[in-house]
Structure formats: structure tokens, C-alpha cells
Amino acid sequence: AQSVTQLDSHVSVSEGTPVLLRCNYSSSYSPSLFWYVQHPNKGLQLLLKYTSAATLVKGINGFEAEFKKSETSFHLTKPSAHMSDAAEYFCVVSDRGYGGSTLGRLYFGRGTQLTVWP
Amino acid sequence: DAGVTQSPTHLIKTRGQQVTLRCSPKSGHDTVSWYQQALGQGPQFIFQYYEEEERQRGNFPDRFSGHQFPNYSSELNVNALLLGDSALYLCASSLLGESEDTQYFGPGTRLTVL
């Protein structure tokens, strides 16, 4: 079965400092992993996706994530936070069927609320 | 290139009523998934439609039903509304195949049940 654990419900940083949002996953097969961002009263926007091509994945708005199979982790980072980064971030794993075939269902973590102080 | 659209934006209903939410997928996409996001939670998968058939279903009661039309748009119907059905309902579209798990989300419909 697939599942995701986001280790921090809230993260606060000052503008210009690094961001680290932590995520551990559980998957029966080689997973596809995602990070989505949700701004207040908005839908979900895809930040980046890991599909086994490269362990370091670059996304939009300067975010990147590193897939570490030995640690079953997929942490999201950004070198320098901006006020506009304040939002809810979701780590997501996709469902896999027998043999690792893609089924399309997504499993979401509970989310990490990122606050950026001026 | 139009993204995923949903209607209405907000909806207020009373317990026991029925509601229909609508979704138009991103241009070129053929698969629609629905998710329920309760306040302070991550989205939960309701079901997915492809070729007008329900392809997968999450742990939601039969009060939740859906439909997909030949133009790939979709509806989510909820009968006998409960207070606990109050949530943001998100529609996501994708293209069946290698990248089908890459889903693009609409802005959602905020349902309030009184």
C-alpha cells in the first residue's frame, strides 16, 4: 500500500533563508512522487514530479526535491524563501497496481503550512 | 490552453439535500479524478473516470456517484448530504497512459452543508 508522512505540520522561516519541508513515503513498488502547493482559497499546483529518471528533481519557483530510496524520503527544499512561498505544501505518492503499473490514484500527506516572515 | 475548470465556486446546502458539481478537464486530457479535501486535511480520493466508466473508487459511500460525458467533462453527485460532507471538492484531469498519474487540479468547489 502507498502512504505519505509529512513530518512537520507547520514550518516558519524568514524571507531569504532556506526552506526544508520533509516527507517520507511508503510504496510497494518504485513510486512516482510529487509535491503540490496550495495557496489560500486556490486549487493545487504541481511543483515537481519524481519518476526515477534522476534523484534530484527541479521544479517551478526555485524548488527542488531529492529522492532517497534508502531513507524512503522525498524532502522539498528551496535555497531562499520568498514571501510569495507562504502556502500549504502537500507531498503525494501515486498508486501502483500489480507489477508496478500506474493506476492514477494519488495519496496525499496531511500537508505542511509554510509561513515566511519578512 | 484552458486548464481544469469547476463550477460552481461555492455552494450552500442543507442536510438531506442532493448536490451536483461539475468539472471540465484540461484540453487534451481524457481522465477525470475527484477528491474531497476537508478543512485542515490533505485531499482524499473519491473516484476516477475514463471513457465514461468509473475506473477506480476510494473509500466513499454510495451516496457519492459520478458521471463522465463523451466530451470528457464530469459530474460529482452527492445524495442525502451530511454535515460531514462540507469540504472543498477538487477535480483533477490527466491523460491515460505513461503520465496518467500527473494530475492537474481545478480551483475546487467549496460545499457547505448546514
Side-chain angles (χ1 to χ4, degrees):
Chain A
Q2 280 64 243
S3 68
V4 167
T5 302
Q6 292 185 242
L7 301 172
D8 307 291
S9 58
H10 291 87
V11 170
S12 294
V13 300
S14 297
E15 191 174 23
T17 64
V19 175
L20 171 63
L21 306 183
R22 300 182 295 163
C23 172
N24 286 351
Y25 71 91
S26 172
S27 178
S28 304
Y29 298 97
S30 180
S32 288
L33 292 160
F34 310 79
W35 277 96
Y36 281 85
V37 61
Q38 186 174 39
H39 291 274
N41 301 313
K42 295 287 180 67
L44 293 156
Q45 181 183 18
L46 179 64
L47 277 179
L48 52 80
K49 173 183 178 180
Y50 165 77
T51 56
S52 79
T55 56
L56 185 62
V57 184
K58 293 188 183 299
I60 61 172
N61 301 334
F63 285 95
E64 61 182 37
E66 186 172 9
F67 174 74
K68 292 187 176 180
K69 186 175 181 179
S70 61
E71 299 176 8
T72 61
S73 69
F74 189 58
H75 301 335
L76 182 70
T77 61
K78 182 173 181 178
S80 176
H82 190 272
M83 295 293 288
S84 61
D85 294 329
E88 186 91 22
Y89 290 79
F90 293 96
C91 183
V92 180
V93 63
S94 67
D95 199 10
R96 295 281 172 169
Y98 179 77
S101 61
T102 304
L103 294 179
R105 169 179 179 171
L106 301 181
Y107 292 84
F108 284 75
R110 294 174 64 91
T112 298
Q113 180 67 47
L114 175 65
T115 300
V116 182
W117 301 100
Chain B
D1 180 19
V4 180
T5 60
Q6 292 185 244
S7 63
T9 306
H10 295 86
L11 208 50
I12 299 175
K13 293 286 188 178
T14 56
R15 282 177 297 176
Q17 285 189 312
Q18 178 265 342
V19 67
T20 298
L21 311 181
R22 295 175 177 82
C23 171
S24 291
K26 182 178 168 66
S27 177
H29 284 182
D30 57 9
T31 303
V32 173
S33 302
W34 287 92
Y35 293 81
Q36 180 195 65
Q37 185 178 18
L39 200 61
Q41 304 292 321
Q44 299 283 320
F45 176 79
I46 304 175
F47 42 54
Q48 184 181 80
Y49 276 84
Y50 170 71
E51 288 191 337
E52 303 179 48
E53 297 286 334
E54 185 181 283
R55 184 167 175 256
Q56 292 185 79
R57 188 178 182 92
N59 294 325
F60 280 81
D62 292 344
R63 298 187 297 108
F64 290 77
S65 63
H67 188 78
Q68 187 180 32
F69 299 94
N71 68 352
Y72 307 118
S73 66
S74 176
E75 288 181 350
L76 164 65
N77 301 292
V78 188
N79 295 323
L81 284 167
L82 303 174
L83 295 179
D85 295 331
S86 295
L88 180 67
Y89 288 84
L90 294 163
C91 169
S93 74
S94 55
L95 184 62
L96 197 76
E98 194 172 311
S99 297
E100 69 184 82
D101 55 3
T102 303
Q103 298 183 12
Y104 295 86
F105 285 80
T109 294
R110 174 73 63 187
L111 173 63
T112 302
V113 182
L114 302 176

